[in-house]
Amino acid sequence: MKGIVELLGALGLEPLALLEDAGLPLDELDDADGRFDSDAVSALWTLAAQQSGHPHLGLALDGAARPACFGVVLHVMMSCPDLDAALRRMVRYMPIVSSAATVALAHDSQGCGLTLALGDGAPPERYDFALLMIANLCRWMTGRALRPQSLELAHARPPNLLPYLAAFGCPCHFGARRYRLCFSAADLGLALMTGNPLLTELHERFANERLARLGDARTTRRVRELVLACLADGEPGRGDVARALCMSERTLHRRLQDEGTSYVQLVDAVRREQAAHYLDQTSLCFTEISYRLGFANQGTLFRACKRWFNASPGRYRERHRVALDGRD
């Protein structure tokens, strides 16, 4: 939040007035354990974009995305031996930085993809700023003008791509299914000059204490966001999700159990919510909806809808249309 306030102030706006208009508590800016409502943060970005008139507000001031914005998490990352280890720590401790953000890593032989989810309704400017902050942090820790392999953005392609190319220095793909930065295997192996295993142990102890103090149902939310981001590629396995969140399957199972749910229940709930959204608010064909929900075929979608809604997809959509016509 302090990074956002700095950015807005540098652009000549009145950040404290904007925070108040968005319903954000000013007195929590200096509270290390303060939490800001995600919907209100998104409202702040929307108000700032309207007042500034800036077409690429999230990329407006490179210098605002400073490493210090990551607080104690920065110290954990700095003491890691290489960039890969630092990004894994960021995944684990991101709830300290933001209660809204879910970050996951997916490794392959070419490197890794870092997926970011900020919940429903987050505007493009918010994603731009967060992704640029992560890219700048990687550059600062490695001491190099690091360029990601690619950047995927779910929002529409803007008329002018130059601000994105200047900020990230890599191919940018718009209209994607998720928000993701991809790094090469060579970049992941870059050593950090500040790496120190003794300090890593110390800093992680502090970070773990902070996580314990926050005490919210982080794992459930993070799993939901990750499943939502990955469904179009097929149902993610529990082991894949555990690895993306940098924990073992056993740990994932235990944390979800402690929060009163399970991996299977979460996947089913996410699919049900998305199915209702696609059937209610879009004209997507059933084949496309099946694909987006990670189902192998339409038959699986039909059976799931019967179980969820006691109706076929077509009947469910028709009932929704009749209800809307009745309101009119």
Side-chain angles (χ1 to χ4, degrees):
M1 182 56 70
K2 287 185 176 180
I4 299 171
V5 167
E6 183 177 341
L7 166 65
L8 300 181
L11 291 174
L13 301 175
E14 297 183 12
L16 297 184
L18 282 169
L19 260 70
E20 188 171 2
D21 290 343
L24 291 164
L26 306 183
D27 56 350
E28 289 193 15
L29 276 176
D30 294 317
D31 181 0
D33 291 331
R35 301 283 95 181
F36 294 90
D37 179 75
S38 182
D39 290 339
V41 175
S42 290
L44 171 66
W45 277 108
T46 300
L47 288 170
Q50 292 170 350
Q51 287 195 20
S52 70
H54 199 292
H56 306 287
L57 181 64
L59 309 178
L61 190 65
D62 229 352
R66 295 183 296 105
C69 296
F70 281 79
V72 67
V73 180
L74 171 66
H75 296 288
V76 178
M77 296 174 70
M78 285 174 56
S79 57
C80 291
D82 54 38
L83 183 60
D84 186 36
L87 291 176
R88 290 176 186 271
R89 295 307 195 286
M90 182 175 69
V91 169
R92 164 131 180 80
Y93 296 114
M94 180 55 74
I96 295 175
V97 179
S98 169
S99 58
T102 297
V103 181
L105 295 177
H107 288 77
D108 58 29
S109 59
Q110 305 301 314
C112 84
L114 184 150
T115 301
L116 173 68
L118 293 171
D120 295 335
E125 295 84 1
R126 188 176 174 189
Y127 273 104
D128 290 345
F129 182 79
L131 289 166
L132 182 57
M133 182 176 284
I134 292 171
N136 280 349
L137 176 59
C138 293
R139 291 163 178 160
W140 184 81
M141 288 190 301
T142 59
R144 303 194 181 200
L146 188 148
R147 296 184 175 187
Q149 282 186 317
S150 64
L151 171 67
E152 298 175 25
L153 298 155
H155 50 264
R157 178 189 176 98
N160 183 9
L161 296 182
L162 290 180
Y164 287 91
L165 297 176
F168 293 97
C170 67
C172 300
H173 307 286
F174 295 87
R177 293 192 298 269
R178 66 192 68 134
Y179 289 89
R180 181 165 68 171
L181 275 170
C182 294
F183 296 95
S184 69
D187 288 338
L188 294 175
L190 290 173
L192 306 187
M193 294 181 62
T194 52
N196 186 317
L198 294 178
L199 289 179
T200 299
E201 183 179 347
L202 176 65
H203 292 151
E204 283 196 313
R205 188 164 69 246
F206 286 128
N208 286 329
E209 290 173 359
R210 286 289 300 280
L211 278 181
R213 281 210 309 274
L214 292 175
D216 61 330
R218 293 178 303 273
T219 305
T220 296
R221 179 184 56 76
R222 296 172 76 197
V223 170
R224 286 177 61 90
E225 295 286 358
L226 184 56
V227 168
L228 181 59
C230 298
L231 264 185
D233 293 328
E235 179 181 332
R238 184 169 59 183
D240 295 329
V241 169
R243 283 189 291 274
L245 296 177
C246 298
M247 64 180 70
S248 68
E249 284 191 60
R250 180 174 295 181
T251 298
L252 175 62
H253 174 76
R254 185 182 68 252
R255 290 186 181 179
L256 292 178
Q257 189 175 49
D258 290 343
E259 294 168 15
T261 187
S262 71
Y263 181 73
V264 172
Q265 289 175 325
L266 285 178
V267 172
D268 191 64
V270 170
R271 276 183 163 145
R272 185 185 188 283
E273 291 166 9
Q274 290 302 105
H277 168 74
Y278 292 139
L279 292 170
D280 288 349
Q281 303 180 29
T282 74
S283 58
L284 292 174
C285 68
F286 298 147
T287 300
E288 178 64 18
I289 293 175
S290 300
Y291 167 74
R292 293 194 179 197
L293 295 180
F295 287 141
N297 51 57
Q298 285 190 50
T300 308
L301 171 64
F302 273 65
R303 289 190 294 274
C305 284
K306 282 285 190 179
R307 176 167 55 84
W308 292 328
F309 313 123
N310 196 29
S312 68
R315 180 60 182 149
Y316 179 89
R317 178 171 273 172
E318 182 61 27
R319 283 195 319 212
H320 179 69
R321 287 174 179 166
V322 170
L324 289 180
D325 291 341
R327 288 181 209 156
D328 295 338

